[in-house]
Amino acid sequence: MSKEAHAATECPKCGSANIAKILWGMPAMSKELERSLEEGHIILGGCCVTGFDPDWHCNECGCEFGDRVDAYEACLESRQEKLKGVIYGAAVGDALGVPCEFMERDSFECVDMVGGGSHNMPAGTFSDDTSMLIATCDSIKQCGKIDIEDMRERFKAWMCDGKYTPDGRMFDIGDTTDHALESGIGQAGERDNGNGSLMRIAPVAFIRPSDDEVRSVSAITHAHWISTEACLVLVRLLDDLIYGEYPEDAINANVPDSGRFAFLRELEDMPRDEIRSSGFVLDTLGAALWCLLHTHSFRDCVLTAVNLGDDSDTTACVAGALAGARYGYDTIPQEWIDALRGKEQIEDCLFDIVF
């Protein structure tokens, strides 16, 4: 480092030019380095390096600063905005899809948020999908980590007491989820591979969980390996999208090459009539990803998902989470945010990202 570069740097807190360069890692000691340490031109930062460590130390006030700190703070701000985008994106997609649930593809066209449908709910009402997603988010906020027992109790509070709902009542629940919460045991049969854990897993992507932690969150209700692995794939995809990866690259990096998941690598070339939007977990994951790959905005992605029909609310909920990670909160149409019911429950569950 030149003397000119050192002299041009000032502390952003106190304005002092009496600063030291922070040297990270385990440098080889030399007479020149010893002299710089004694004179206060350099200090040792330590051997644990994160990639976002400060470059400079103020010898007057102790402030530490630099481009990498700024990058870290910008990264946290971006992730915080993406968390809001994912949660609101899922809720908006869910609410758009509720009135169209169980309707046959191409027998309707969803273009906006309306009420009615098989549940006869007011416009902007989200379903069990978002309620359980909010409960997952709230558990992470309150516990600061994944706590399986806490999540289970919050799911039961939703099921029994209507917590995390716009109206204080639960109006829909899947059979596997119902049996699992009643018994306290995740269901692991071949027929227990509905999309009930996939629809609520998205908040987990923001705390950098281990693979087994993701699987354990799914297994609260859906414990079959197909469901737990589908949740793992979605969490890893969301993590890459949050950091700006293109969907195609995220799929290539996170989807297995063979087995039940291999078809996800072929979605980009699949026509619409080959996309299934049933309640089977792999159908939902595939349909949501197909919508992300074949559209270029949040609005188009979730409307495309709803209009696939069948399990329209869950397909759009998962697609909305993916689109929220891809495009961010500010891209969600404001009129849909305004029409969304239960926003106070969403705002209360958002947690601060600190890593």
Side-chain angles (χ1 to χ4, degrees):
M1 179 183 62
S2 68
K3 292 182 179 179
E4 290 80 7
H6 192 286
T9 306
E10 294 183 350
C11 174
K13 184 176 180 180
C14 70
S16 174
N18 182 15
I19 62 169
K21 177 70 175 175
I22 303 176
L23 191 61
W24 296 94
M26 300 181 67
M29 194 58 65
S30 65
K31 290 184 178 180
E32 182 179 355
L33 177 56
E34 288 179 354
R35 184 166 58 252
S36 294
L37 289 169
E38 291 174 359
E39 294 174 350
H41 298 314
I42 291 176
I43 67 169
L44 299 180
C47 59
C48 296
V49 183
T50 68
F52 291 112
D53 308 290
D55 298 302
W56 305 99
H57 172 89
C58 177
N59 292 325
E60 298 296 332
C61 70
C63 175
E64 294 186 342
F65 57 100
D67 291 341
R68 284 179 289 182
V69 174
D70 294 339
Y72 178 63
E73 291 175 351
C75 178
L76 287 183
E77 290 176 4
S78 174
R79 282 173 62 81
Q80 197 73 52
E81 190 266 349
K82 287 294 182 71
L83 173 64
K84 190 173 182 180
V86 166
I87 306 304
Y88 271 97
V92 164
D94 184 8
L96 284 164
V98 164
C100 310
E101 189 179 18
F102 310 128
M103 295 178 69
E104 185 177 350
R105 185 178 301 181
D106 296 329
S107 68
F108 68 96
E109 183 182 13
C110 175
V111 296
D112 207 349
M113 201 169 285
V114 299
S118 60
H119 301 292
N120 196 29
M121 301 304 293
T125 303
F126 54 72
S127 73
D128 56 323
D129 304 24
T130 301
S131 290
M132 295 192 78
L133 183 147
I134 293 173
T136 301
C137 204
D138 194 30
S139 180
I140 294 171
K141 178 179 182 178
Q142 300 304 324
C143 298
K145 61 179 182 178
I146 291 174
D147 185 317
I148 298 303
E149 291 306 315
D150 183 81
M151 282 188 188
R152 181 182 287 111
E153 290 304 309
R154 293 179 191 278
F155 296 158
K156 290 171 68 175
W158 156 73
M159 181 178 71
C160 299
D161 303 323
K163 192 173 182 182
Y164 306 113
T165 67
D167 298 306
R169 65 182 182 90
M170 180 270 291
F171 65 85
D172 190 22
I173 186 171
D175 289 342
T176 298
T177 297
D178 190 6
H179 296 157
L181 295 181
E182 287 284 357
S183 66
I185 301 172
Q187 306 297 288
E190 185 75 28
R191 296 180 64 85
D192 295 311
N193 280 309
N195 50 29
S197 60
L198 189 77
M199 67 193 192
R200 59 174 166 82
I201 201 72
V204 175
F206 288 86
I207 60 171
R208 292 300 183 84
S210 69
D211 290 357
D212 285 343
E213 283 179 318
V214 177
R215 296 183 182 109
S216 69
V217 173
S218 173
I220 296 173
T221 54
H222 293 68
H224 191 277
W225 73 268
I226 291 177
S227 290
T228 62
E229 295 311 299
C231 285
L232 181 59
V233 168
L234 180 58
V235 165
R236 298 308 178 211
L237 287 168
L238 285 167
D239 189 45
D240 280 358
L241 291 172
I242 290 162
Y243 278 104
E245 292 286 350
Y246 289 106
E248 299 87 343
D249 295 334
I251 289 171
N252 287 333
N254 294 288
V255 170
D257 290 324
S258 60
R260 300 293 295 270
F261 293 82
F263 78 100
L264 297 174
R265 292 179 173 272
E266 303 169 3
L267 290 171
E268 194 170 5
D269 297 322
M270 282 189 185
R272 182 173 181 260
D273 59 8
E274 291 185 16
I275 302 301
R276 294 169 55 86
S277 51
S278 77
F280 176 47
V281 63
L282 292 184
D283 285 350
T284 301
L285 180 58
L289 282 171
W290 185 88
C291 294
L292 186 70
L293 288 167
H294 288 82
T295 58
H296 302 285
S297 69
F298 179 91
R299 179 190 290 271
D300 289 347
C301 181
V302 294
L303 288 180
T304 298
V306 173
N307 285 309
L308 290 176
D310 201 353
D311 200 358
S312 55
D313 60 333
T314 306
T315 303
C317 180
V318 177
L322 288 165
R326 176 81 172 94
Y327 301 112
Y329 173 79
D330 289 340
T331 68
I332 302 174
Q334 187 60 48
E335 64 269 24
W336 291 351
I337 296 289
D338 293 341
L340 185 67
R341 305 176 70 226
K343 288 189 285 292
E344 62 276 12
Q345 283 90 343
I346 295 175
E347 289 293 330
D348 287 345
C349 84
L350 296 175
F351 54 85
D352 291 332
I353 297 173
V354 295
F355 45 84

